[in-house]
Amino acid sequence: MQSHSPTTPFGRRSLTLAHVASHMVATERPPEKIVHKWKIFHAICTARPRLGVSERALSVLNALLTFHPETALTGEDELIVFPSNHQLSRRAHGMPASTLRRHLAVLVDAGLIVRRDSPNGKRYARKDNAGEIELAFGFDLSPLVVRSEEFEGLAADIEAEARALKLVRERITLCRRDIAKMIATGIEEGVPTRRAGQGPADWQEVHAAFRAMVAQIPRTATRQELEPIADELSQLADDVLNLLETHIKSKNPSANESHSERHIQNSNTEALTDLEPCLPKGRAAGAEPRPQPSRVAESSYPLGMVLSACPDIVDYAKGGISNWRDFLATAAVVRSMLGISPSAWEEAQTVLGEMQAAVVVACILQRGTTIRSAGGYLRGLTRKAEVGEFSLGPILMSQINSRLHEKRTA
């Protein structure tokens, strides 16, 4: 057991008050204290953002811990490890010596290890006649024992914050799905939204409010930023559900629950049947069937590519979108939510074809509030298509590239 522990670094490295504080911490470890070195290392990895160390620095700390022969770090044993730069570099997966020195300095400055430099700066140990180490120079792991509770507390706080963030994200996702599907049901069933002069004017206004809330969600957000948005979406979901429930009660004031359930299911089935693009009696009653040749060019874009570019439309599908039939039915619902008039929709289907018109509607929905007038935007694209100046491919690629950029910057 060495009687004096050096506190000053070798060579040009300066001594700071933080280093002196780390030395003081290292001398205060209780003799009876025992910690599991890998458990405390995992806690440090979790608490890394609060400690101000990088992943590379932690890989160096991991290598240092492997040079201590015991799994338990105690308050009685000497905790100085003294590997050479070559040995340490090899344990750190071949990290260059210059990079190694830089990350060792980070660990020292963070107070995770204490430097015990020899007179010549080398790391080594002197043994007595019995073969026991009596003097060692290298890196002292004592702060890991003394500060173990601190590291575990930081790790627990970060894990709790991560769980809370995950819960609020799940809450937002559920609200978005519920609101989208309930709005779709309200439009299909013709549910009125104005009650005794109160409430929004129409479902387009409800949908616009919903999209405005969604547009507030940042790409990378903290729990504190997401909670107010989650509250707003929850309130809107409750309001929309109340509209649907009030409508059900007004239509069937004396019906029992089972009768109401059968009525809703039958209504939904009829609504989906009306939305099928192959049946001319759906949205545009009496309209002639669309010519089939235009669908040949439209089918060149895979459904997976379209959904990758415009994933928000899936929120409005009754049971998901697994084929073009589902996609066309959902686009017909979204068209009404966006406030696109039947005449603009019919004209777009005539010029662009059913599939291309549906894809354009999905793109308009994806762009959200950046398009002020969905109907005007669709009419403009229809005019371009009439003179041969419209191509759907660049629009889809622009949407896909935009989403990829969002993922990279998130």
Side-chain angles (χ1 to χ4, degrees), residues 29-35 73-76 143-150:
R29 52 187 172 129
E32 71 282 357
K33 191 171 184 180
I34 301 175
V35 300
L73 304 179
T74 70
E76 294 181 333
L144 303 184
V145 178
V146 179
R147 301 177 61 189
S148 60
E149 291 85 357
E150 175 190 348

Side-chain angles (χ1 to χ4, degrees), residues 153-185:
L154 290 174
D157 290 344
I158 290 178
E159 289 175 345
E161 183 65 23
R163 284 194 297 270
L165 178 61
K166 182 179 179 180
L167 288 174
V168 74
R169 286 188 180 279
E170 290 177 348
R171 181 182 170 198
I172 288 176
T173 299
L174 291 174
C175 285
R176 289 182 62 176
R177 186 185 69 191
D178 291 346
I179 294 171
K181 291 183 183 295
M182 287 191 294
I183 291 177
T185 299

Side-chain angles (χ1 to χ4, degrees), residues 8-198:
T8 56
F10 173 79
R12 297 180 180 180
R13 292 190 293 267
S14 60
L15 178 68
T16 66
L17 291 178
H19 295 163
V20 175
S22 297
H23 283 273
M24 294 173 60
V25 168
T27 60
E28 295 173 356
R29 52 187 172 129
E32 71 282 357
K33 191 171 184 180
I34 301 175
V35 300
H36 192 292
K37 68 178 181 182
W38 297 121
K39 288 183 178 179
I40 202 64
F41 176 73
H42 292 156
I44 292 172
C45 289
T46 304
R48 183 189 61 78
R50 303 276 184 91
L51 297 173
V53 295
S54 64
E55 296 91 341
R56 298 290 300 279
L58 290 182
S59 69
V60 176
L61 178 60
N62 178 83
L64 286 174
L65 287 172
T66 63
F67 286 99
H68 189 272
E70 303 296 334
T71 301
L73 304 179
T74 70
E76 294 181 333
D77 299 333
E78 279 298 323
L79 301 179
I80 297 177
V81 293
F82 40 88
S84 65
N85 282 341
H86 176 72
Q87 292 173 320
L88 189 55
S89 175
R90 187 167 56 183
R91 296 267 181 108
H93 308 291
M95 184 179 292
S98 58
T99 307
L100 194 64
R101 287 192 293 268
R102 185 169 68 252
H103 292 306
L104 284 170
V106 170
L107 294 174
V108 172
D109 292 340
L112 297 178
I113 59 176
V114 173
R115 192 187 297 272
R116 306 287 190 190
D117 285 348
S118 67
N120 61 2
K122 301 292 184 180
R123 302 181 202 122
Y124 59 87
R126 295 193 185 280
K127 298 182 179 180
D128 57 20
N129 295 331
E132 299 292 334
I133 296 176
E134 63 177 0
L135 188 62
F137 299 100
F139 297 103
D140 192 348
L141 305 176
S142 298
L144 303 184
V145 178
V146 179
R147 301 177 61 189
S148 60
E149 291 85 357
E150 175 190 348
F151 299 142
E152 291 170 350
L154 290 174
D157 290 344
I158 290 178
E159 289 175 345
E161 183 65 23
R163 284 194 297 270
L165 178 61
K166 182 179 179 180
L167 288 174
V168 74
R169 286 188 180 279
E170 290 177 348
R171 181 182 170 198
I172 288 176
T173 299
L174 291 174
C175 285
R176 289 182 62 176
R177 186 185 69 191
D178 291 346
I179 294 171
K181 291 183 183 295
M182 287 191 294
I183 291 177
T185 299
I187 292 176
E188 291 180 359
E189 300 288 347
V191 178
T193 59
R194 187 179 293 277
R195 297 288 180 186
Q198 298 180 355

